[in-house]
């Protein structure tokens, strides 16, 4: 549900992370990349909520998660007050994805073979 919610905000250009996404993926225009990231997140959320699509959701998530950590490298001045431990609000927003990754491992462990 969080992926659908946060992704939907990006699609509607209402996300507080708009500038962060735009600054991180600077090689595409924000008008293109932010809604595209939002659609990707909505797809992850829908896939994880619909059991037959769980594997696809996990694959989409595996492709998206590394990108979420890019600002830590590309925009350290935005993410840290004192690197590497003092996090700004943006840095905390990014680091919370460690909990998402842990949750993905739990979900992956429950997928039937």
């Amino acid at each position: 549900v969080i992926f659908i919610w946060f992704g939907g905000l990006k699609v509607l250009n209402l996300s507080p992370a708009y500038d962060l996404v735009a600054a991180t993926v600077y090689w595409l225009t924000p008008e293109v990349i932010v809604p595209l990231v939002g659609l990707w997140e909505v797809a992850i959320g829908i896939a994880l909520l619909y059991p037959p699509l769980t594997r696809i959701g996990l694959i989409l998530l595996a492709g998206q998660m590394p990108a979420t950590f890019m600002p830590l490298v590309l925009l350290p001045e935005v993410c840290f007050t004192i690197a590497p431990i003092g996090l700004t609000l943006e840095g905390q927003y990014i680091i919370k994805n460690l909990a998402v990754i842990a949750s993905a491992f739990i979900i992956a462990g429950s997928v039937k073979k």
Side-chain angles (χ1 to χ4, degrees), residues 1-112:
V1 172
I2 292 169
F3 275 98
I4 295 169
W5 186 352
F6 285 17
L9 289 174
K10 288 179 182 77
V11 171
L12 298 171
N13 290 328
L14 299 173
S15 175
Y18 185 95
D19 292 335
L20 184 62
V21 174
T24 302
V25 189
Y26 55 86
W27 53 90
L28 291 173
T29 63
E31 298 80 24
V32 172
I33 193 59
V34 176
L36 190 61
V37 168
L39 287 172
W40 188 285
E41 290 176 352
V42 169
I44 291 169
I46 291 170
L48 291 177
L49 285 173
Y50 184 59
L53 298 178
T54 299
R55 288 176 195 223
I56 292 170
L58 291 170
I59 291 167
L60 291 172
L61 183 69
Q64 192 245 8
M65 275 298 113
T68 65
F69 289 97
M70 286 174 46
L72 298 175
V73 176
L74 298 177
L75 304 166
E77 68 282 358
V78 173
C79 299
F80 297 103
T81 55
I82 302 170
I85 57 168
L87 295 168
T88 63
L89 189 57
E90 290 85 352
Q92 292 175 38
Y93 180 79
I94 294 164
I95 293 298
K96 66 99 175 89
N97 287 320
L98 293 173
V100 172
I101 292 168
S103 299
F105 278 115
I106 293 167
I107 293 168
S110 70
V111 175
K112 295 187 173 145

